[in-house]
Amino acid sequence: MLWTLIKCFVVGGLLCCVGQAILMFTKLTNARILVLFVVSGVALTLLGAYKPLVDFAGAGATVPLTGFGYSLATGAMQAVQEIGLMGAFTGGITNTAAGITAAIVFGFLNAICFKPKTKP
């Protein structure tokens, strides 16, 4: 149990460190880095390199944005096998619907509970 938590923490932390390094040492905007991470997750999944990382680290690999790309790609691939080409368009959204819904709900609750402040 403890070893699983350590693996999760280390892998998730390393993925976040990569994002922070990109932010610090390039002129990429936050939005472009987010897109880069999601597309990287999709590409690594299609190459077969992300599944072993998910098997090793669990949530440490699936919670960061690369994990969102992994979920999109696996959902699309499963749906293509089940329903054909249309699955490429619907499978990713079906596979990530719970996470997207949670982000919307918690964002809404955050907006209700806290008063937004503008940056100086």
Side-chain angles (χ1 to χ4, degrees):
M1 174 72 175
L2 180 63
W3 180 241
T4 303
L5 293 175
I6 291 170
K7 291 188 300 186
C8 178
F9 179 78
V10 169
V11 171
L14 287 174
L15 287 171
C16 292
C17 285
V18 169
Q20 185 63 38
I22 293 170
L23 187 63
M24 290 171 51
F25 298 116
T26 68
K27 293 184 179 183
L28 291 176
T29 62
N30 294 341
R32 289 184 179 183
I33 295 170
L34 296 176
V35 170
L36 176 69
F37 267 62
V38 172
V39 171
S40 296
V42 170
L44 289 171
T45 301
L46 295 177
L47 294 173
Y50 207 77
K51 176 74 170 136
L53 186 63
V54 170
D55 292 341
F56 174 75
T62 58
V63 170
L65 283 170
T66 50
F68 183 73
Y70 167 77
S71 295
L72 284 171
T74 55
M77 291 187 298
Q78 289 171 355
V80 165
Q81 290 177 351
E82 293 173 6
I83 63 173
L85 183 60
M86 188 56 93
F89 301 104
T90 61
I93 299 300
T94 302
N95 208 30
T96 59
I100 293 169
T101 302
I104 292 169
V105 169
F106 290 123
F108 178 71
L109 291 174
N110 190 29
I112 289 174
C113 295
F114 300 100
K115 182 179 177 184
K117 299 175 186 169
T118 58
K119 291 184 178 181

